[in-house]
Amino acid sequence: MTSESPSDLGESMHRLATRLFPFHRSISGEGARDTFAELARHIPLQVTEVPTGTAVFDWTVPREWRIRDAYIADQDGLRIVDYRQSNLHVVNHSLPIHARLDWEQLRPHLHTDEHSPHTIPYRTGYFRDIWGFCVTAQQYESLRGGGPWEVVIDAEFLDGSLTLAECELSGTSSESVVLHCHTCHPSLANDNLSGIVVATELAKRLQLREHYYTYRFVFVPATIGAISWLALRSAEELRQIRHGLVLTLLGDGAPFTFKQTRNEESTLNRLVPLVLAANNFPCRVERFEPIGYDETQYASPGLNLPVGRLSRSTHGRFPEYHTSADNLQFIQPANLAESLRACEVIIEGLENNIFPISNCPSGEPQLGRRGLYRAFGERDDRGELQPAIMWLLNLADGMHDLVAIAERSGISFEVIVQAAEMLISHQLITPARQRTPMRDGPGVWPQ
Ligand code: ZN
């Protein structure tokens, strides 16, 4: 797309992650707005505020959470736990508190991670009226049995709004592809920032080229944000969504994981493993389950939108997950660049995937007359182009897309795409974007 090298791109995405890292994101509040203001410096971004109290499907937009400071201090005012050191120290969405507590009163409100005791765990209190602190095992030991402690969470809940952001890049068609990132995690790098920076760079590069699909990059807090975004779309907009991917956990070094869409026959389910393998990206495929990130909202039965997920490691299955060890060192520029490339490969695949319809369906077209035998004799040293042309002509019945033709023929998707381009230029096939059912047999082929 552009001439920037993968290492430049990786470094540039990592720099953006570094700028976003300190913001205290939550499901609402200033952290989201600061994040979107930074993204808007890179891509065109439409920011929407959904007021507190708005009904969105079965949910209601909650009050907005704002936090200024939080700490646990000893009697001399020395902060043992200090929000200014890490925003992970406060249970996200905590109720405010200002009290002197003894150890037994404080203890139920402290959280540590027994599997990763040297880190600060990430905990949330969404839709529950709780408060708490997340601490390392060492901090826990410093507090244990002592006190009284001065415990402060200087936060408030107010009638405000939930902030959503979207970058829409119009294509020649209004049919759309959604690329979705959750934006509600505070200083966590792989879980939320990696997806955000890869999506931002993808949008930046996609702006520079023509595309068939309209691309909608959706940046919203998980669950309530995804539900709000979906609830605010018109039925027509939802109908136009043809494909979608949730992008997250894209900065670590694990091979890719593609989580399938709910509809098992979806284009993405067939296309992603095919094009990633062809580009030497090892990819593990996970079947759909209604548990995970926001792909589950798109997959609810009333919507049933074909949205999968692309990750590397998966949530809960790497030791740094939801701890302070998911930091800027954990995500590497080279991994971000590779993830960006994988997304581009998938988008290329979607852009190129058509349902060919033969313009010469009865009997084999006379290829020699059109110079096509010579063409593939010269152009294809792997000998795949000729059989690709024969397969395409045979399956150009409006029922098979190029992915299906690649699967059935065993020929690589790229060669099938190349053959399709040749046949289109010779008017032997007409590309359709949808399955176009036709009856078999002579005399029924539409002209
Ligand atoms: Zn998470």
Short mmCIF file of all heavy atoms in Angstrom, two decimals, residues 402-424:
data_model
loop_
_atom_site.label_atom_id
_atom_site.label_comp_id
_atom_site.label_asym_id
_atom_site.label_seq_id
_atom_site.Cartn_x
_atom_site.Cartn_y
_atom_site.Cartn_z
N LEU A 402 -14.49 -17.18 -5.19
CA LEU A 402 -13.11 -17.58 -5.50
C LEU A 402 -12.51 -18.43 -4.38
O LEU A 402 -11.68 -19.29 -4.63
CB LEU A 402 -12.24 -16.35 -5.76
CG LEU A 402 -12.63 -15.48 -6.97
CD1 LEU A 402 -11.54 -14.45 -7.27
CD2 LEU A 402 -12.92 -16.30 -8.20
N VAL A 403 -12.95 -18.19 -3.14
CA VAL A 403 -12.46 -19.02 -2.03
C VAL A 403 -12.90 -20.47 -2.26
O VAL A 403 -12.09 -21.40 -2.13
CB VAL A 403 -13.00 -18.50 -0.67
CG1 VAL A 403 -12.64 -19.45 0.45
CG2 VAL A 403 -12.48 -17.11 -0.38
N ALA A 404 -14.15 -20.64 -2.63
CA ALA A 404 -14.66 -22.01 -2.87
C ALA A 404 -13.91 -22.65 -4.03
O ALA A 404 -13.61 -23.85 -3.99
CB ALA A 404 -16.15 -21.97 -3.16
N ILE A 405 -13.60 -21.86 -5.05
CA ILE A 405 -12.90 -22.42 -6.22
C ILE A 405 -11.46 -22.80 -5.82
O ILE A 405 -10.96 -23.84 -6.23
CB ILE A 405 -12.95 -21.43 -7.40
CG1 ILE A 405 -14.42 -21.22 -7.81
CG2 ILE A 405 -12.11 -21.92 -8.57
CD1 ILE A 405 -14.66 -20.11 -8.83
N ALA A 406 -10.84 -21.97 -4.98
CA ALA A 406 -9.49 -22.31 -4.50
C ALA A 406 -9.53 -23.59 -3.67
O ALA A 406 -8.70 -24.48 -3.83
CB ALA A 406 -8.93 -21.15 -3.68
N GLU A 407 -10.54 -23.68 -2.80
CA GLU A 407 -10.64 -24.87 -1.95
C GLU A 407 -10.87 -26.12 -2.78
O GLU A 407 -10.21 -27.15 -2.59
CB GLU A 407 -11.81 -24.72 -0.97
CG GLU A 407 -11.50 -23.82 0.22
CD GLU A 407 -12.74 -23.55 1.08
OE1 GLU A 407 -13.88 -23.65 0.58
OE2 GLU A 407 -12.53 -23.23 2.27
N ARG A 408 -11.79 -26.01 -3.71
CA ARG A 408 -12.16 -27.19 -4.49
C ARG A 408 -11.03 -27.63 -5.42
O ARG A 408 -10.80 -28.83 -5.61
CB ARG A 408 -13.42 -26.87 -5.29
CG ARG A 408 -13.92 -28.02 -6.11
CD ARG A 408 -15.36 -28.33 -5.76
NE ARG A 408 -15.86 -29.38 -6.63
CZ ARG A 408 -17.07 -29.37 -7.18
NH1 ARG A 408 -17.88 -28.37 -6.92
NH2 ARG A 408 -17.47 -30.35 -7.94
N SER A 409 -10.31 -26.67 -5.98
CA SER A 409 -9.27 -27.01 -6.95
C SER A 409 -7.93 -27.33 -6.28
O SER A 409 -7.07 -27.94 -6.89
CB SER A 409 -9.06 -25.83 -7.90
OG SER A 409 -8.55 -24.72 -7.18
N GLY A 410 -7.77 -26.87 -5.04
CA GLY A 410 -6.48 -27.03 -4.37
C GLY A 410 -5.43 -26.06 -4.89
O GLY A 410 -4.25 -26.15 -4.55
N ILE A 411 -5.86 -25.11 -5.71
CA ILE A 411 -4.93 -24.12 -6.26
C ILE A 411 -4.95 -22.89 -5.34
O ILE A 411 -5.99 -22.56 -4.77
CB ILE A 411 -5.38 -23.71 -7.69
CG1 ILE A 411 -5.31 -24.96 -8.59
CG2 ILE A 411 -4.53 -22.59 -8.25
CD1 ILE A 411 -5.98 -24.77 -9.95
N SER A 412 -3.80 -22.22 -5.21
CA SER A 412 -3.75 -21.13 -4.23
C SER A 412 -4.70 -20.00 -4.61
O SER A 412 -4.95 -19.74 -5.80
CB SER A 412 -2.32 -20.59 -4.10
OG SER A 412 -2.04 -19.73 -5.18
N PHE A 413 -5.22 -19.34 -3.60
CA PHE A 413 -6.20 -18.26 -3.79
C PHE A 413 -5.63 -17.17 -4.69
O PHE A 413 -6.32 -16.64 -5.56
CB PHE A 413 -6.57 -17.71 -2.41
CG PHE A 413 -7.61 -16.63 -2.45
CD1 PHE A 413 -8.93 -16.93 -2.76
CD2 PHE A 413 -7.28 -15.32 -2.15
CE1 PHE A 413 -9.91 -15.94 -2.78
CE2 PHE A 413 -8.24 -14.33 -2.17
CZ PHE A 413 -9.56 -14.63 -2.48
N GLU A 414 -4.34 -16.87 -4.51
CA GLU A 414 -3.72 -15.80 -5.30
C GLU A 414 -3.75 -16.13 -6.80
O GLU A 414 -4.00 -15.26 -7.62
CB GLU A 414 -2.26 -15.56 -4.86
CG GLU A 414 -2.11 -14.74 -3.60
CD GLU A 414 -2.59 -15.44 -2.33
OE1 GLU A 414 -2.75 -16.70 -2.36
OE2 GLU A 414 -2.82 -14.76 -1.33
N VAL A 415 -3.49 -17.40 -7.14
CA VAL A 415 -3.51 -17.79 -8.56
C VAL A 415 -4.94 -17.76 -9.10
O VAL A 415 -5.18 -17.33 -10.23
CB VAL A 415 -2.84 -19.18 -8.75
CG1 VAL A 415 -2.98 -19.66 -10.20
CG2 VAL A 415 -1.37 -19.10 -8.36
N ILE A 416 -5.88 -18.17 -8.27
CA ILE A 416 -7.29 -18.12 -8.69
C ILE A 416 -7.69 -16.66 -8.95
O ILE A 416 -8.38 -16.35 -9.94
CB ILE A 416 -8.21 -18.76 -7.61
CG1 ILE A 416 -7.91 -20.26 -7.45
CG2 ILE A 416 -9.68 -18.51 -7.91
CD1 ILE A 416 -8.35 -21.13 -8.61
N VAL A 417 -7.23 -15.75 -8.08
CA VAL A 417 -7.53 -14.32 -8.27
C VAL A 417 -6.93 -13.83 -9.59
O VAL A 417 -7.58 -13.13 -10.37
CB VAL A 417 -7.00 -13.49 -7.07
CG1 VAL A 417 -7.05 -11.99 -7.36
CG2 VAL A 417 -7.78 -13.82 -5.80
N GLN A 418 -5.69 -14.23 -9.83
CA GLN A 418 -5.00 -13.81 -11.06
C GLN A 418 -5.75 -14.34 -12.29
O GLN A 418 -5.97 -13.60 -13.26
CB GLN A 418 -3.57 -14.38 -11.00
CG GLN A 418 -2.65 -13.84 -12.07
CD GLN A 418 -1.32 -14.62 -12.09
OE1 GLN A 418 -0.97 -15.33 -11.14
NE2 GLN A 418 -0.59 -14.49 -13.18
N ALA A 419 -6.17 -15.59 -12.23
CA ALA A 419 -6.90 -16.19 -13.36
C ALA A 419 -8.23 -15.47 -13.56
O ALA A 419 -8.65 -15.20 -14.69
CB ALA A 419 -7.12 -17.68 -13.10
N ALA A 420 -8.90 -15.13 -12.45
CA ALA A 420 -10.19 -14.44 -12.55
C ALA A 420 -10.01 -13.08 -13.22
O ALA A 420 -10.81 -12.68 -14.07
CB ALA A 420 -10.81 -14.29 -11.17
N GLU A 421 -8.93 -12.38 -12.86
CA GLU A 421 -8.68 -11.07 -13.47
C GLU A 421 -8.51 -11.21 -14.99
O GLU A 421 -9.02 -10.39 -15.76
CB GLU A 421 -7.44 -10.42 -12.84
CG GLU A 421 -7.76 -9.81 -11.48
CD GLU A 421 -6.52 -9.47 -10.65
OE1 GLU A 421 -5.39 -9.69 -11.13
OE2 GLU A 421 -6.73 -8.98 -9.52
N MET A 422 -7.80 -12.27 -15.40
CA MET A 422 -7.61 -12.49 -16.85
C MET A 422 -8.95 -12.77 -17.53
O MET A 422 -9.23 -12.23 -18.60
CB MET A 422 -6.68 -13.70 -17.07
CG MET A 422 -5.24 -13.42 -16.71
SD MET A 422 -4.25 -14.92 -16.76
CE MET A 422 -4.18 -15.15 -18.52
N LEU A 423 -9.77 -13.59 -16.92
CA LEU A 423 -11.04 -13.97 -17.55
C LEU A 423 -12.00 -12.78 -17.58
O LEU A 423 -12.77 -12.63 -18.53
CB LEU A 423 -11.66 -15.15 -16.82
CG LEU A 423 -10.88 -16.47 -16.94
CD1 LEU A 423 -11.57 -17.58 -16.15
CD2 LEU A 423 -10.73 -16.89 -18.40
N ILE A 424 -11.92 -11.92 -16.57
CA ILE A 424 -12.76 -10.71 -16.58
C ILE A 424 -12.31 -9.80 -17.72
O ILE A 424 -13.12 -9.28 -18.48
CB ILE A 424 -12.68 -9.96 -15.22
CG1 ILE A 424 -13.37 -10.79 -14.12
CG2 ILE A 424 -13.33 -8.58 -15.32
CD1 ILE A 424 -13.12 -10.31 -12.70
#
